[in-house]
Amino acid sequence: MYKKILVPLDGSELAKKALLEAEKLAKIFDSDLILFQVVPFVPIYGSPELVTPLIIDEKQKEAAETYLAGLGNDLKQRGFRVRTMVKTGQQVAAEIIDFAKESGTDLIVMSTHGRSGFTRWFVGSVANRVLTRAENPILLIRTKE
């Protein structure tokens, strides 16, 4: 049923909890796991004549690649088929949605931080944006900080 499961991660322990559920599903459906992280562009503040208003933090990108590679290697040693991908962009939710579509993902499994009320409205929620805009089935794992 689910041949490719996308697991968006941000390096936090809360986000990593979704990986546990994705592993269970991958075992049941003999699925490939795709570990995915978005490294946001860093705005450059300065004079208005700057041509490039955004840059990529290469150290942050390398750290994300190392993090996903470590998780991926652990999963491979336990018999999972795993692929990792780090992308850069301004809008994390949009990058997740676009990659899910491009890669032919059958399911997105991700954590939500379980915020509600004003905090959720003020801070925003990547998980909520993915949930309301993605065309793929989504499994949200609610976690608490």
Side-chain angles (χ1 to χ4, degrees):
M1 183 172 196
Y2 300 117
K3 291 296 173 198
K4 291 182 185 178
I5 300 175
L6 178 65
V7 186
L9 299 163
D10 63 7
S12 72
E13 286 301 313
L14 290 175
K16 196 172 163 184
K17 290 182 181 183
L19 186 54
L20 298 172
E21 298 304 318
E23 286 178 43
K24 292 175 189 175
L25 291 169
K27 266 188 185 170
I28 293 168
F29 295 109
D30 190 34
S31 308
D32 294 344
L33 290 170
I34 305 171
L35 309 183
F36 182 76
Q37 188 166 349
V38 177
V39 176
F41 289 121
V42 178
I44 299 173
Y45 297 101
S47 63
E49 50 281 344
L50 284 174
V51 177
T52 309
L54 303 168
I55 61 168
I56 300 167
D57 184 341
E58 289 300 325
K59 287 184 181 180
Q60 190 177 2
K61 187 174 179 187
E62 285 176 23
E65 289 168 348
T66 301
Y67 171 71
L68 293 183
L71 291 175
N73 288 337
D74 178 54
L75 290 165
K76 286 176 186 175
Q77 288 177 352
R78 293 189 285 131
F80 291 96
R81 291 184 310 275
V82 183
R83 187 172 133 207
T84 62
M85 174 60 72
V86 175
K87 292 196 88 172
T88 56
Q90 278 186 280
Q91 298 179 342
V92 174
E95 293 295 334
I96 293 169
I97 293 165
D98 290 346
F99 182 76
K101 196 180 295 184
E102 291 166 12
S103 63
T105 297
D106 300 304
L107 177 68
I108 300 171
V109 179
M110 62 189 300
S111 294
T112 177
H113 292 258
R115 295 184 182 107
S116 60
F118 181 74
T119 305
R120 181 175 177 178
W121 175 82
F122 182 72
V123 175
S125 170
V126 171
N128 187 54
R129 279 181 243 137
V130 171
L131 178 65
T132 57
R133 296 177 185 159
E135 297 172 6
N136 307 69
I138 299 164
L139 174 61
L140 287 180
I141 308 303
R142 187 171 185 187
T143 58
K144 290 283 185 180
E145 293 185 51

